[in-house]
Amino acid sequence: MSPTSIWRHPQRLPWLSVTWSGVALGALGALLPLLPTTPFLILAAWAAPKGSPRLHRWLCHHPHFGPALEAWRTRRAIPRRGKWLACTMLTASLVWLIISGAAPTVLLALTVLFCAIATFLWSRPDA
């Protein structure tokens, strides 16, 4: 998408922002051991067709990102490494909240939420 077409279709700008944010965070997740990649790429793949079909094609055919997105699209599958990293981050976040002295009601609510997220992740097939 050329810069001039963004101004002709300004409604695409929020979608492009979400897409590029997801791609950037997903790329960081591919490099940093504790940052997940797959959820950010799924977000980017969801927003990309609304902002730029060309960007969506690039994302789906990318040698690193494409296979995870295809696994999600066809089988709703998440890589096992992504599941482990996500659960590790959820646990680390909860430990940090406990150490920092978060209120018991906050801890309880987040524990329930984090358990629901982990359950969802592990209910998905491995990519």
Side-chain angles (χ1 to χ4, degrees):
M1 173 177 277
S2 69
T4 56
S5 64
I6 291 174
W7 299 120
R8 280 184 279 174
H9 304 285
Q11 71 275 14
R12 292 182 177 185
L13 193 55
W15 297 112
L16 285 170
S17 298
V18 170
T19 302
W20 280 113
S21 297
V23 169
L25 289 169
L28 282 174
L31 300 173
L32 300 174
L34 294 179
L35 186 65
T37 300
T38 305
F40 295 118
L41 293 179
I42 290 170
L43 175 68
W46 169 76
K50 299 163 183 68
S52 169
R54 186 174 72 185
L55 177 57
H56 183 251
R57 280 190 304 279
W58 172 81
L59 195 56
C60 289
H61 293 93
H62 191 276
H64 185 75
F65 303 140
L69 291 172
E70 180 65 16
W72 176 257
R73 188 182 67 75
T74 58
R75 300 179 321 223
R76 295 295 189 246
I78 299 173
R80 184 174 293 263
R81 179 177 181 266
K83 293 175 188 181
W84 279 109
L85 287 174
C87 289
T88 300
M89 289 302 296
L90 292 171
T91 304
S93 298
L94 198 56
V95 168
W96 181 80
L97 287 167
I98 291 168
I99 292 170
S100 67
T105 54
V106 171
L107 290 175
L108 178 62
L110 288 176
T111 300
V112 170
L113 176 64
F114 289 178
C115 286
I117 292 169
T119 300
F120 173 77
L121 289 172
W122 288 100
S123 72
R124 305 290 84 212
D126 290 337

